[in-house]
Amino acid sequence: MKKKILFRIIAAALPIILILLVEVVLRLFGYGEGYQLFNRVRGENGVEYLVVNPNLSKKYFKDTDFRADSQFDLFLRQKTDSTFRVFVQGASTVVGYPFYRGASFPRLLKHRLSRTFPEKNVEVVNTGITAVNSYTLWDVTDKIIDQKPDLVIIYAGHNEYYGALGVGSSASVGSHPVLVRSYLKLKNLRFFQLIENALTGLMGTGAQNKKSVTETTLMEVMAKEQEIPLNSEAFVAGISQFEGNLKRILDKYERHGIPVILSTLVSNEKDVKPFISDDLDKENFVESIEENKSEVHELAQNNADAAYILGQHYLERNPDSAKKYLHLAKELDLLRFRAPEKINEVIMGQAHERKLPLVDMKNIFESKVPNGILGDELVAEHVHPNVEGYFVMADAFYEKVKALNLLEDWEHYVPYEEAFDDIPVTQIDSLKGKLAVEILKQSWPYDLSMSGTKPVGYNYVTQNPTFEETTAINLHNHQEQWQYLITQAYHKYNEDGDYKKALKVAQTLIFEFPEQFKVYEMAGEMCQKLGDDAYAEYYFKKSRYLKSMKASLE
């Protein structure tokens, strides 16, 4: 009897043992991807840092040719006592699309906190990845916890339908949340990767029927289920998916006593019409509005285009009604690249239930625009802020950190106006971002007839381009590397005596190379030439500190 039991145990355990042996062998031979959130790197000063793994996005974008954007913010592998460490979770808005570099709100926040606390090592680590949703945020949470954050900021929700593994996404493995989360756990195993790759090789990926980012916009590549009506089964599934993942994320942070700041989401409602709407005789509808027919209001309750046209009609006549119908138009939009209000309700509900600090970003943005109707003033296209909008986001989080008293002694508090004047974004990066937006607005889904194609031969500047415009175009066309062109710009500005522009270049370089003392010296020299000796000393002190770190290791 005992032998039979032992035999059954061995028989049951044998497959597991074999899988473990194969897993070990595969790892020894370097097969597959590690999918770690952070990679170790050694800085120019000899110190070990961690940085977001550039290959991590491969885990989430199954059967696509897309490699997601992310920011690469170095932070110390060994956290020091003087370090204030913040992690930011989200997607393309967190990354800073379309301006990137110093325009992303995590970097703007780091810049201002570093000035406020010059004696501290402020680390604001951007873990955002373009086109992901709450599944990815949940998947990386444990790895963020391992790095002992002093604060986590979450800004996410726009990609819940079409982001990687979402209910309407082309990069999907199923619609059941338990299945998707199990898939993400298994994906860490080389053995599972081997099986998946073998099955893909045998069955094919179906890529011949899929659009590619080389052919069209990322938005079209990711949107498999293009029409998701309000309160439909897929709509409800997306809300449930977001709420379930957010709860699990917050549970983990709560168990480890890590402070979290949540934020509501912003959308352009005034200047972006619905991408896809039910059919509407627009000419007849406009005539009905002019004739003040009662049925226009009833139709606008159920048709996105009707609601948008009615909202635009009311803009000059009745701002309150305009706001109501423009918001409704966004809610009724069948193509859900703008988060529905239910997402914000989930975020606010979790903040209230758990007594978590909330930045009501939607309300803050609306307070800064005419009649509280958010449009192009602060948002570059449908959801991504412009440079000023990203600054408003960073300012809101800066003020929330202050209100929460997470750091003591705000003697060097940087006021709004001073911080706004010191936005560390080059004109070159700003123009490059504007160029990307202009091209996007000529592409799908802004122009549905452009499905499967990209604008050809579009010229942002046609005559007498400035140095910044020429450089931005070269960057957009990948004619030169950013580091090379931006360093050239620094020397040009310095020679021309345009020290403020040169300072912004140096500040941007600091974000990219925070371990290199030379870039701090470049910023300090420009501050000196601008007559700001106190600010110059701030940068020279940072430079001397990095030099001393390097010397101590030699």
Side-chain angles (χ1 to χ4, degrees), residues 155-385:
Y155 183 91
H158 282 305
N159 292 345
E160 215 51 39
Y161 292 97
Y162 305 123
L165 307 175
V167 296
S169 174
S170 61
S172 175
V173 294
S175 59
H176 199 287
V178 174
L179 173 66
V180 178
R181 287 192 288 266
S182 299
Y183 167 80
L184 288 174
K185 287 293 186 185
L186 289 169
K187 188 86 172 181
N188 294 321
L189 299 175
R190 306 301 203 280
F191 177 80
F192 183 81
Q193 293 176 41
L194 177 66
I195 298 298
E196 184 179 41
N197 292 340
L199 289 173
T200 299
L202 289 171
M203 300 172 64
T205 63
Q208 65 272 17
N209 299 318
K210 291 185 178 181
K211 294 179 174 64
S212 164
V213 290
T214 61
E215 301 167 338
T216 184
T217 61
L218 170 63
M219 295 170 75
E220 187 171 15
V221 170
M222 296 303 295
K224 177 184 178 182
E225 193 171 345
Q226 293 187 4
E227 296 189 11
I228 301 179
L230 186 67
N231 298 324
S232 64
E233 184 179 345
F235 178 92
V236 174
I239 304 300
S240 176
Q241 164 190 302
F242 179 74
E243 185 170 22
N245 287 334
L246 183 60
K247 284 180 176 179
R248 285 168 172 79
I249 292 165
L250 297 176
D251 283 344
K252 290 182 178 184
Y253 288 131
E254 189 175 320
R255 284 196 297 269
H256 288 83
I258 296 170
V260 176
I261 296 175
L262 295 177
S263 172
T264 56
L265 307 175
V266 301
S267 298
N268 189 332
E269 298 182 356
K270 177 169 67 71
D271 298 310
V272 173
K273 66 181 182 179
F275 291 121
I276 298 179
S277 171
D278 289 328
D279 292 337
L280 176 72
D281 184 339
K282 295 181 183 179
E283 186 175 337
N284 183 58
F285 184 73
V286 170
E287 288 179 3
S288 296
I289 293 174
E290 296 299 337
E291 294 170 7
N292 202 25
K293 292 184 178 180
S294 59
E295 59 262 29
V296 299
H297 298 279
E298 183 179 348
L299 184 54
Q301 294 295 324
N302 301 289
N303 184 286
D305 279 344
Y308 186 77
I309 292 168
L310 189 56
Q312 289 290 321
H313 170 78
Y314 278 129
L315 267 177
E316 299 298 329
R317 298 169 175 84
N318 187 334
D320 288 342
S321 292
K323 184 172 183 176
K324 169 187 171 181
Y325 285 106
L326 291 171
H327 176 71
L328 182 59
K330 186 264 291 185
E331 292 292 288
L332 292 170
D333 190 349
L334 297 174
L335 189 59
R336 300 205 169 272
F337 282 112
R338 294 176 290 182
E341 196 59 28
K342 285 283 186 183
I343 293 288
N344 275 341
E345 289 174 11
V346 169
I347 293 166
M348 291 186 287
Q350 284 299 298
H352 177 74
E353 181 181 324
R354 298 169 185 265
K355 296 180 172 56
L356 291 174
L358 173 74
V359 170
D360 193 349
M361 201 67 72
K362 180 174 182 284
N363 184 57
I364 290 170
F365 268 57
E366 289 176 347
S367 72
K368 294 182 179 295
V369 296
N371 302 312
I373 306 173
L374 190 54
D376 289 345
E377 298 91 349
L378 292 174
V379 186
E381 18 83 316
H382 54 293
V383 294
H384 300 101

Side-chain angles (χ1 to χ4, degrees), residues 382-436:
H382 54 293
V383 294
H384 300 101
N386 56 27
V387 173
E388 183 178 352
Y390 277 123
F391 175 82
V392 170
M393 293 186 75
D395 175 72
F397 288 119
Y398 178 81
E399 293 295 345
K400 182 61 71 172
V401 171
K402 183 176 185 292
L404 293 172
N405 203 28
L406 294 173
L407 287 162
E408 298 177 356
D409 187 9
W410 288 72
E411 177 188 352
H412 300 291
Y413 172 83
V414 182
Y416 186 98
E417 294 76 13
E418 183 180 344
F420 187 81
D421 187 58
D422 192 37
I423 293 176
V425 179
T426 68
Q427 192 177 352
I428 293 166
D429 288 320
S430 179
L431 286 169
K432 179 176 176 289
K434 291 176 181 177
L435 173 58

Side-chain angles (χ1 to χ4, degrees), residues 15-75:
I16 298 173
I17 294 170
L18 289 173
I19 290 172
L20 289 174
L21 285 172
V22 172
E23 179 73 15
V24 170
V25 171
L26 290 173
R27 288 175 182 257
L28 285 174
F29 282 90
Y31 178 84
E33 297 285 345
Y35 295 132
Q36 66 274 14
L37 177 56
F38 303 113
N39 288 341
R40 290 188 192 182
V41 294
R42 190 171 293 278
E44 186 188 70
N45 56 1
V47 176
E48 272 200 319
Y49 292 89
L50 294 177
V51 67
V52 170
N53 175 10
N55 294 318
L56 179 64
S57 63
K58 293 179 183 178
K59 182 176 184 180
Y60 310 108
F61 296 95
K62 183 177 179 289
D63 296 345
T64 73
D65 59 354
F66 172 61
R67 183 172 177 176
D69 295 327
S70 52
Q71 293 265 44
F72 302 106
D73 299 316
L74 294 182
F75 64 102

Side-chain angles (χ1 to χ4, degrees), residues 454-487:
K454 284 185 174 182
V456 178
Y458 178 76
N459 291 315
Y460 180 71
V461 179
T462 55
Q463 53 183 307
N464 301 321
T466 64
F467 166 74
E468 287 81 10
E469 288 168 337
T470 301
T471 306
I473 292 168
N474 288 342
L475 280 172
H476 183 269
N477 294 333
H478 307 289
Q479 292 179 350
E480 296 282 356
Q481 289 188 340
W482 177 86
Q483 182 183 346
Y484 172 75
L485 288 176
I486 212 72
T487 304

